[in-house]
Amino acid sequence: MPRRERNKFVKRGQVIELLIEDYAYGGKGIGRIRNEHGEFVVFVPNTLPGQLVKAQVKKSSKKYAEAKLFDVLKSSEDEIEMPYQDIPGAPYIQLPIEKQHIYKKQSTLELFKRIGKVADIEDKFDEFVDSPNTFHYRNKMEYGFSAIGYNRELKTDVDEFTLGFKRRGTWWCGDNLKKDSGLFDAEFENKIKDIKAYCEATELDPWHAPKREGFFRYFVVRKSYKTNKLLFNLVTTSYDLPKFDLDKFANYLVELFGDRVAGLLHTINDEVGDRTIATTGSINLVYGEDKIVEELLGLNFEISMKSFFQTNPKCAEKLYSKVVDYALENKDAIDNTIVLDLFCGTGTIGQIIASRAINTKIVGVDIVASAIEDAKENAKRNNIKGLEFYAADVGKFLNEHPEFTNKIRTIILDPARAGIAPKTLKKIINLNADRLVYVSCNPATQARDTEQLMEAGYDIKKLSLVDQFPHTAHIETVVLFEK
């Protein structure tokens, strides 16, 4: 067996300092190591050209390595001071939003050229849709408790009670959130230190990840932009639960936030895995309501703690408007027809189309049964007719419902990050629809699917980018394909 050649530039596990020189799709900064053996590329996620970073090599091959960011040692000249506490969830918050848009557009279009084989993608580009709120746009945040904190001055972990976010690059170390991060509700985040002090005063332990023990685990908050209400979920283990007064804690939250408190839920999670809501735990209402109401494009949606809902609702309105614009561009392919809404989630897109089309039947399909239940309830609440929702795997559904073959002129696609399974995509292609409106939160898998769609006779007519998540590498794409 031939001996594997040793990498002459880096080895796995090595901690390196690197100047980031370029930007690749998905927020991967590109650094280069140059020595007597030549030049070697290292990708470091969540970094920017001009930054000097400290990173650890995680994967290495002959051509390149991938590393995990530990610290930014020197900022890029493009970055500016911000009044917010830096958190791992907003790696680009110090980069002006216009420059974020340039990086996102360039790197996404490059994907469609390289993976999707669309040489003239610039000619198909329609619009870059920015978020109405650049800051404080999120409607949900999950804050973690930890028995291991981080001392920013000494740059080391310490034993302390923390409530905030994981320290970048670690799974065991928390970092206290002491003020507004710029992503979520400013009033709440400026008072999170008070909630931490209240919990610490009980002398019950926060979660210790390496030991897999403790009482306090997570504090989850959902916000309604329509009502300005906050819905809280305290996640703990069952250990020592009798020592914690949940009613008293609910009253304390009302003291802090008054009538903004929609309700408090309590979740028991005794699993060792790092998830907020356990598969085996319980979730109970302690105070108030267990849901909040949000509005999108004039439609009302009830959101529970477990519901999937767009994280940036104001920008989701722009995203859905773009999808509906593409769908309704040819009204003949919508009115008096059946429209398939595949991977439909809670059915928002289908409801909006149904409310604007004439005699159109929308058939929504999603594998998540709870999302389909929410979709049915929301359609009833909004009094929208002509909708049918099915909880099923999309591929199996298409096999089991041959009545839709050759009757569909328009299909809406909004799959998860993994994109569409090749077998399912073949079944969709076999429906022979005139038009597909494909929404994606992962343009890399969408570009991959684009190559298969083009081979089947579909062409990209238009492509738009929607900046659902400012200050991150994420971008949503909406593509209109036509035969």
Side-chain angles (χ1 to χ4, degrees), residues 14-75:
Q14 184 180 346
V15 177
I16 57 175
E17 287 187 13
L18 197 65
L19 178 68
I20 304 300
E21 298 175 12
D22 290 310
Y23 180 94
Y25 170 75
K28 288 183 178 179
I30 302 171
R32 292 179 176 86
I33 295 171
R34 298 173 178 90
N35 61 23
E36 67 275 14
H37 302 293
E39 186 175 285
F40 185 73
V41 167
V42 182
F43 293 102
V44 188
N46 299 323
T47 59
L48 283 170
Q51 288 179 336
L52 180 67
V53 303
K54 182 180 178 183
Q56 185 178 41
V57 177
K58 288 295 173 188
K59 288 182 188 172
S60 178
S61 69
K62 279 185 186 178
K63 293 183 178 177
Y64 67 91
E66 293 189 23
K68 181 162 77 171
L69 177 66
F70 274 169
D71 239 327
V72 176
L73 304 175
K74 186 184 168 194
S75 297

Side-chain angles (χ1 to χ4, degrees), residues 352-372:
I352 297 166
I353 291 172
S355 69
R356 298 184 185 185
I358 298 165
N359 193 31
T360 300
K361 181 179 177 181
I362 309 284
V363 176
V365 186
D366 199 284
I367 198 167
V368 181
S370 61
I372 291 297

Side-chain angles (χ1 to χ4, degrees), residues 153-172:
E153 284 72 42
L154 299 175
K155 300 204 169 190
T156 183
D157 46 355
V158 290
D159 292 332
E160 67 170 354
F161 190 114
T162 67
L163 176 57
F165 300 104
K166 288 262 181 8
R167 180 70 187 160
R168 182 178 280 123
T170 72
W171 56 271
W172 67 89

Side-chain angles (χ1 to χ4, degrees), residues 23 46 74 76 81 93 105 113 146 169 218 239 245 249 257 262 270-271 277 285 401 409 434 460:
Y23 180 94
N46 299 323
K74 186 184 168 194
S76 160
E81 281 293 314
I93 201 162
K105 180 182 172 184
K113 276 186 188 171
S146 175
Y218 291 97
Y239 178 74
D245 190 330
F249 183 58
F257 303 107
D270 286 329
E271 294 180 3
I277 296 176
L285 183 64
H401 290 268
R409 295 190 62 194
D434 297 342
I460 292 180

Side-chain angles (χ1 to χ4, degrees), residues 248-268:
K248 191 177 170 189
F249 183 58
N251 291 335
Y252 178 68
L253 293 174
V254 173
E255 274 178 43
L256 283 180
F257 303 107
D259 61 5
R260 291 195 71 198
V261 179
L264 169 66
L265 295 132
H266 173 241
T267 296
I268 291 176

Side-chain angles (χ1 to χ4, degrees), residues 217-335:
R217 295 199 71 171
Y218 291 97
F219 196 53
V220 185
V221 193
R222 295 200 92 143
K223 173 183 177 175
S224 162
Y225 281 86
K226 178 184 172 77
T227 63
N228 202 32
K229 297 271 190 183
L230 300 170
L231 181 63
F232 300 106
N233 182 21
L234 178 68
V235 183
T236 72
T237 60
S238 58
Y239 178 74
D240 271 344
L241 182 55
K243 295 180 185 175
F244 186 75
D245 190 330
L246 285 161
D247 293 322
K248 191 177 170 189
F249 183 58
N251 291 335
Y252 178 68
L253 293 174
V254 173
E255 274 178 43
L256 283 180
F257 303 107
D259 61 5
R260 291 195 71 198
V261 179
L264 169 66
L265 295 132
H266 173 241
T267 296
I268 291 176
N269 181 356
D270 286 329
E271 294 180 3
V272 294
D274 193 20
R275 284 184 301 192
T276 52
I277 296 176
T279 50
T280 55
S282 63
I283 181 164
N284 295 300
L285 183 64
V286 177
Y287 169 87
E289 303 289 327
D290 64 352
K291 291 184 176 78
I292 50 176
V293 176
E294 191 57 274
E295 185 180 286
L296 280 182
L297 295 171
L299 304 178
N300 287 318
F301 298 88
E302 269 193 1
I303 309 162
S304 68
M305 261 304 159
K306 290 185 177 181
S307 298
F308 169 78
F309 198 73
Q310 288 286 352
T311 311
N312 181 350
K314 294 294 178 192
C315 193
E317 290 191 319
K318 285 190 163 189
L319 172 70
Y320 292 145
S321 293
K322 182 58 70 175
V323 175
V324 173
D325 284 351
Y326 282 6
L328 296 180
E329 192 173 86
N330 179 353
K331 283 272 278 170
D332 288 344
I334 297 285
D335 292 344

